[in-house]
């Protein structure tokens, strides 16, 4: 189901096949009824069991976007949640900014973000975390840089001027250090590949994401690596970032897979 504001011209239903959402990642495979109306910027939120953290994130994002001169939409991609994530979005059916919910039964952040980008026709499109760890006001600087012609503008916790408002645990910091070292094999010029706040030129990223294959948390590295290999620039914007409890990332469940995915990306030149 897609929940829209009254001003939005369409309502669509995500198709199911044998109880599972049909996957349409390539632009030529996406039925026309899944394509959202074009806006200046689509803001995608991949969500897996986020019924607790999502309401405040959507509320603050709607308030922020309502005061900006660009046309915009919020797109929650429900990554096969077992809680009430989809129902949360229904609370914003009459928001001044269109708030969509679409499904993605292929598990993983990468799969969810691909679905959101592939079904977008926005001039600019990006994704943010459901925990609102990066202030949404960062989008002011991001949009200015995109309008200057940069291909990708990403929030960074390691660019000069960035700071941690609330630190991660020692275990998460250690795992992050290992991940960064492997990511630098592919992207030596990017200081922070994993901050969950990235925006792109829409037409360009829709072409790039059609070739991406990583479903998990290393998706960010694959996407940025493909952009860089196409000689597109990636600009990092320093942010004041806060660690928010409730992350769905598990070092035990996702750590080894993410490391393996990084090696796959590194050797797929």
């Amino acid at each position: 189901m897609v929940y829209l504001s009254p001003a939005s011209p369409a309502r669509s239903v995500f198709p199911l096949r044998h109880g599972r959402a049909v996957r349409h990642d390539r632009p030529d495979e996406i039925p026309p009824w899944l394509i959202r109306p074009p806006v200046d910027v689509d803001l995608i939120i991949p969500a897996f069991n986020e019924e607790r953290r999502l309401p405040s994130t959507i509320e603050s994002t709607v308030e922020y976007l309502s005061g900006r001169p660009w046309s915009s939409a919020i797109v929650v991609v429900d990554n096969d949640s077992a809680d009430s994530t989809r129902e949360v979005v229904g609370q914003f059916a009459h928001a001044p900014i269109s708030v969509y919910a679409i499904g993605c039964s292929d598990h993983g952040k990468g799969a969810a973000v691909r679905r959101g980008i592939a079904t977008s026709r926005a001039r600019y499109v990006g994704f943010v975390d459901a925990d609102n760890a990066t202030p949404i006001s960062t989008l002011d600087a991001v949009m200015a840089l995109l309008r200057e012609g940069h291909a990708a503008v990403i929030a960074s916790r390691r660019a000069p001027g960035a700071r941690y408002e609330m630190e991660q645990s020692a275990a998460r910091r250690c795992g992050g250090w290992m991940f960064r070292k492997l990511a630098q094999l592919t992207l030596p010029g990017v200081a922070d590949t994993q901050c969950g706040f990235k925006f792109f030129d829409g037409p360009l990223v829709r072409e790039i994401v059609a070739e991406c294959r990583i479903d998990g948390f290393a998706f960010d590295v694959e996407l940025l690596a493909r952009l860089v290999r196409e000689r597109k620039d990636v600009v990092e914007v320093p942010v004041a970032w806060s660690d928010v409890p409730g992350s769905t990332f598990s070092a035990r469940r996702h750590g080894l897979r993410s490391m393996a995915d990084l090696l796959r990306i590194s050797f797929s030149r």
Side-chain angles (χ1 to χ4, degrees), residues 60-114:
S60 62
T61 304
V62 165
E63 181 180 0
Y64 165 83
L65 292 174
S66 298
R68 292 304 178 274
W70 339 294
S71 60
S72 56
I74 299 168
V75 185
V76 176
V77 184
D78 179 13
N79 202 194
D80 207 19
S81 298
D83 65 359
S84 299
T85 292
R86 187 75 67 93
E87 286 71 19
V88 164
V89 181
Q91 302 171 15
F92 298 90
H94 300 290
I97 299 297
S98 294
V99 180
Y100 298 75
I102 64 175
C104 180
S105 62
D106 296 297
H107 292 186
K109 173 188 173 181
V113 172
R114 278 204 310 271

Side-chain angles (χ1 to χ4, degrees), residues 20 30 57 68 113 127 147 167 179 187 193 234:
R20 291 174 62 80
I30 299 173
T57 295
R68 292 304 178 274
V113 172
F127 54 95
R147 287 180 158 182
E167 277 277 13
F179 191 98
L187 291 167
T193 63
V234 177

Side-chain angles (χ1 to χ4, degrees), residues 4-71:
L4 306 177
S5 74
S8 302
R11 175 180 298 270
S12 60
V13 177
F14 204 84
L16 299 181
R17 180 178 298 158
H18 303 303
R20 291 174 62 80
V22 180
R23 180 168 179 166
H24 296 288
D25 285 337
R26 300 186 65 86
D28 57 354
E29 297 175 351
I30 299 173
W33 61 84
L34 291 184
I35 305 301
R36 296 181 297 277
V39 290
D40 291 330
V41 58
D42 263 348
L43 189 148
I44 297 164
I45 306 176
F48 174 68
N49 292 342
E50 290 287 1
E51 65 178 5
R52 294 178 180 269
R53 302 193 298 178
L54 197 54
S56 62
T57 295
I58 296 177
E59 183 176 1
S60 62
T61 304
V62 165
E63 181 180 0
Y64 165 83
L65 292 174
S66 298
R68 292 304 178 274
W70 339 294
S71 60

Side-chain angles (χ1 to χ4, degrees), residues 9-256:
R11 175 180 298 270
S12 60
V13 177
F14 204 84
L16 299 181
R17 180 178 298 158
H18 303 303
R20 291 174 62 80
V22 180
R23 180 168 179 166
H24 296 288
D25 285 337
R26 300 186 65 86
D28 57 354
E29 297 175 351
I30 299 173
W33 61 84
L34 291 184
I35 305 301
R36 296 181 297 277
V39 290
D40 291 330
V41 58
D42 263 348
L43 189 148
I44 297 164
I45 306 176
F48 174 68
N49 292 342
E50 290 287 1
E51 65 178 5
R52 294 178 180 269
R53 302 193 298 178
L54 197 54
S56 62
T57 295
I58 296 177
E59 183 176 1
S60 62
T61 304
V62 165
E63 181 180 0
Y64 165 83
L65 292 174
S66 298
R68 292 304 178 274
W70 339 294
S71 60
S72 56
I74 299 168
V75 185
V76 176
V77 184
D78 179 13
N79 202 194
D80 207 19
S81 298
D83 65 359
S84 299
T85 292
R86 187 75 67 93
E87 286 71 19
V88 164
V89 181
Q91 302 171 15
F92 298 90
H94 300 290
I97 299 297
S98 294
V99 180
Y100 298 75
I102 64 175
C104 180
S105 62
D106 296 297
H107 292 186
K109 173 188 173 181
V113 172
R114 278 204 310 271
R115 173 61 52 74
I117 292 176
T119 55
S120 169
R121 288 299 175 264
R123 178 65 186 88
Y124 306 107
V125 59
F127 54 95
V128 305
D129 286 340
D131 60 9
N132 212 18
T134 301
I136 186 60
S137 58
T138 305
L139 194 53
D140 283 343
V142 168
M143 285 292 287
L145 288 165
L146 287 172
R147 287 180 158 182
E148 289 177 7
H150 298 285
V153 184
I154 66 176
S156 175
R157 298 162 293 188
R158 300 193 172 275
R163 68 181 188 276
Y164 281 80
E165 295 287 353
M166 186 176 297
E167 277 277 13
Q168 293 176 309
S169 67
R172 290 289 297 275
R173 292 200 301 273
C174 179
W177 179 85
M178 295 176 61
F179 191 98
R180 285 195 303 277
K181 291 301 180 183
L182 283 177
Q184 286 171 0
L185 296 175
T186 302
L187 291 167
V190 180
D192 187 358
T193 63
Q194 295 311 111
C195 187
F197 197 103
K198 296 179 173 71
F199 284 79
F200 309 90
D201 175 87
L204 171 64
V205 78
R206 283 189 283 275
E207 290 185 13
I208 296 293
V209 82
E211 303 303 321
C212 291
R213 295 294 177 262
I214 301 297
D215 285 346
F217 286 94
F219 165 79
D220 303 54
V221 177
E222 181 188 25
L223 176 56
L224 295 176
R226 289 183 181 276
L227 284 166
V228 170
R229 289 168 190 169
E230 293 294 325
R231 301 186 182 278
K232 305 303 180 181
D233 65 334
V234 177
V235 179
E236 295 187 77
V237 174
V239 294
W241 187 87
S242 299
D243 184 44
V244 180
S247 172
T248 57
F249 178 83
S250 165
R252 180 176 61 83
R253 294 196 309 273
H254 305 122
L256 288 177

